[in-house]
Amino acid sequence: MLPGAFNLSDKNLLLRHGVTDLLQLAQRRGANLHKLLHGTQIFEQDLSLAESRCHHRDWLTLVARSQQLASPELPFILADSLLHNKHSSLCQSLPLAANLATSLRQLYYFRHQLLPGIFVLLRKTDSHLSIVLKPAVQLGAQQAFIIKLAMAFLVRLVQLGTQRADELNIQLKQTAPAHLAHFNSHWPCPARFSQPLDALHIPLSLWYQPFITRQAAGFRDLSRACYQLNSRLPPQRGLLELIQRQLYRALPQQASLEQLASYLGLSSSSLKRLLQQQDTHFAALADDLRCDLANLLLLQSRLSNRQLASELGYSDEHNFRRAFKRWTGHVPSSVRLW
C-alpha cells in the first residue's frame, strides 16, 4: 500500500473511539457480543485495553451486523455516545472550544482519530460554509450509515455548543427511508434525501458565536493529549482522499493519472492496481469530485455554465453541460438553487 495511506486491512481504528460504543449499543438492542465479533480479529479481551486497534474492514463488518437490528436511531445514538466518549480526548475537547470555527478546525486536524474512513471538502460563500462528506476508502454498503453517523456527530456538536442547530441544512444522497417521520425526528434541522451530494450547510453567523460549553484550560489540556496520541497512530489518510484532495487542489487544471501517480511516488500501473483494489478507477474518482463540486456551486451561487466550466477545468460550457448530463442525467439549469 502507498506509504502514508491506509487500506481496509490496516489496524487504524482505536476500539475505544467508537467501536466499543457501537458494540454496547448493539448489545442493548439484543445483539450477542460473540456473534458480533465472530469472524473478525477483535477479541473480547481487546475491548478493555486502552490502545487496542481494529482493522477498518472489521469496523465495517460490525456496522453491517448492527444495522441488521433494524434500529433507525442507531447512528444518532452512536453520534451522541462518541461526542461524550470519555476515552477520546478529541471528542471531549470539541465542545470546550471557544467557538464552532475552533472546534471544527480541531476536528478537521485530528479527524483520523475518530472516523478516518471519511474526509471532507470545504467550500465557503458570503453566507455559508458547506461541508461535503466523502469516503476516504471504499465503504461499500456501509457508506450511507457512516455518512449519517458523521453528519449526526457534526449536528450534535453544533447543537451542544450553540443551541442553534435548527439553522443548519442537511443534504443526503441516500433515498428517503421507509420510516421517514421517525428518522427526521432525530434531526433538529431540515434534512433532504435523494440529493446530489452529502453536505452540511452552516450559516457563517454561527461560525464565531461563543460556545456555551467553552472552557479554555480544558480545551488546551485535551488538545495536548490529541497531539500525543497522533505520535502513536499509524498513517491515517485513505487513498481515495489523497487522490481527490490533489484533484481538488489542481483545479481549474484537470490533473492526469500520470501526474497523480508521480505526486504519490508511484508508477501509473501501480496506482491503477491500487484503485482496482478499492473497486474504482481514476476517471470515476475525477468525475465524482467534479460532480459534487458542480452541484455544490449550483446550490451556492448563480454562476453561468461558462463560469462553472471554467471553475471545473472544462474548455467550454458545452463540454461541461455534456459531462453534467452524463453524471446526473440532468442539465445544470434544472438543478434548483438552494
Side-chain angles (χ1 to χ4, degrees):
M1 185 62 184
L2 177 69
F6 74 90
N7 61 28
L8 297 181
S9 298
D10 284 339
K11 280 193 171 184
N12 70 314
L13 275 172
L14 286 166
L15 293 182
R16 289 193 170 191
H17 284 196
V19 179
T20 52
D21 299 77
L22 178 64
L23 290 170
Q24 289 167 4
L25 289 171
Q27 284 179 277
R28 287 178 204 156
R29 281 154 180 74
N32 179 279
L33 181 60
H34 176 73
K35 289 183 178 179
L36 287 170
L37 298 180
H38 179 70
T40 71
Q41 296 185 44
I42 305 171
F43 302 96
E44 289 189 38
Q45 57 267 32
D46 296 333
L47 303 178
S48 59
L49 301 178
E51 291 202 9
S52 287
R53 300 187 189 117
C54 75
H55 297 297
H56 209 89
R57 194 181 302 281
D58 287 342
W59 161 246
L60 295 179
T61 298
L62 296 179
V63 168
R65 290 173 180 172
S66 299
Q67 287 185 86
Q68 292 171 6
L69 302 172
S71 181
E73 71 277 6
L74 190 60
F76 304 97
I77 299 175
L78 181 55
D80 274 330
S81 296
L82 288 175
L83 193 53
H84 297 92
N85 188 325
K86 65 180 181 180
H87 301 295
S88 170
S89 299
L90 173 60
C91 294
Q92 291 181 74
S93 73
L94 298 176
L96 304 185
N99 48 44
L100 184 59
T102 305
S103 185
L104 290 184
R105 277 196 291 268
Q106 174 94 335
L107 179 58
Y108 182 80
Y109 187 82
F110 295 112
R111 61 195 181 279
H112 56 278
Q113 296 185 12
L114 188 61
L115 287 172
I118 292 290
F119 77 99
V120 301
L121 296 175
L122 306 176
R123 191 89 184 190
K124 187 178 178 182
T125 67
D126 292 338
S127 60
H128 283 78
L129 177 80
S130 295
I131 302 176
V132 180
L133 281 70
K134 299 182 69 64
V137 290
Q138 195 61 253
L139 300 176
Q142 278 49 261
Q143 180 170 322
F145 178 93
I146 294 174
I147 291 288
K148 268 187 295 190
L149 170 61
M151 192 78 75
F153 183 88
L154 290 171
V155 172
R156 293 286 195 263
L157 174 61
V158 176
Q159 180 68 17
L160 184 62
T162 69
Q163 293 187 351
R164 291 172 58 188
D166 57 316
E167 298 178 33
L168 305 175
N169 267 279
I170 295 169
Q171 289 181 278
L172 293 167
K173 286 184 178 180
Q174 62 189 272
T175 57
H179 40 269
L180 181 59
H182 180 68
F183 190 92
N184 276 339
S185 67
H186 294 283
W187 298 111
C189 55
R192 290 173 291 161
F193 296 87
S194 301
Q195 295 294 298
L197 70 169
D198 294 306
L200 176 66
H201 305 283
I202 305 174
L204 288 184
S205 59
L206 294 182
W207 199 231
Y208 292 110
Q209 178 182 323
F211 265 9
I212 298 166
T213 50
R214 64 190 182 278
Q215 190 184 116
F219 181 77
R220 186 172 56 250
D221 292 343
L222 289 165
S223 296
R224 191 177 299 117
C226 291
Y227 280 107
Q228 291 171 351
L229 178 59
N230 254 20
S231 65
R232 303 194 298 275
L233 287 175
Q236 299 284 286
R237 297 291 181 265
L239 180 63
L240 307 189
E241 174 179 359
L242 289 171
I243 291 174
Q244 293 198 61
R245 281 200 183 284
Q246 192 60 20
L247 288 169
Y248 186 48
R249 293 188 189 106
L251 289 173
Q253 301 300 315
Q254 293 193 9
S256 66
L257 171 69
E258 291 72 24
Q259 289 171 325
L260 262 295
S262 176
Y263 165 75
L264 297 171
L266 298 169
S267 66
S268 298
S269 57
S270 295
L271 180 54
K272 286 180 181 178
R273 185 175 64 255
L274 289 174
L275 289 173
Q276 285 173 353
Q277 293 171 5
Q278 296 275 344
D279 297 322
T280 189
H281 53 86
F282 178 75
L285 285 179
D287 280 352
D288 181 62
L289 175 70
R290 288 195 290 263
C291 180
D292 275 359
L293 290 176
N295 279 292
L296 186 58
L297 288 168
L298 283 165
L299 292 167
Q300 286 185 332
S301 61
R302 296 183 180 273
L303 296 180
S304 67
N305 284 348
R306 180 176 297 178
Q307 290 169 315
L308 286 167
S310 177
E311 287 261 359
L312 297 173
Y314 285 92
S315 57
D316 59 63
E317 60 185 283
H318 303 295
N319 286 334
F320 165 68
R321 280 171 57 87
R322 282 196 295 270
F324 192 87
K325 182 73 178 291
R326 174 166 53 85
W327 298 332
T328 66
H330 305 285
V331 294
S333 58
S334 68
V335 176
R336 182 177 299 170
L337 289 174
W338 170 62

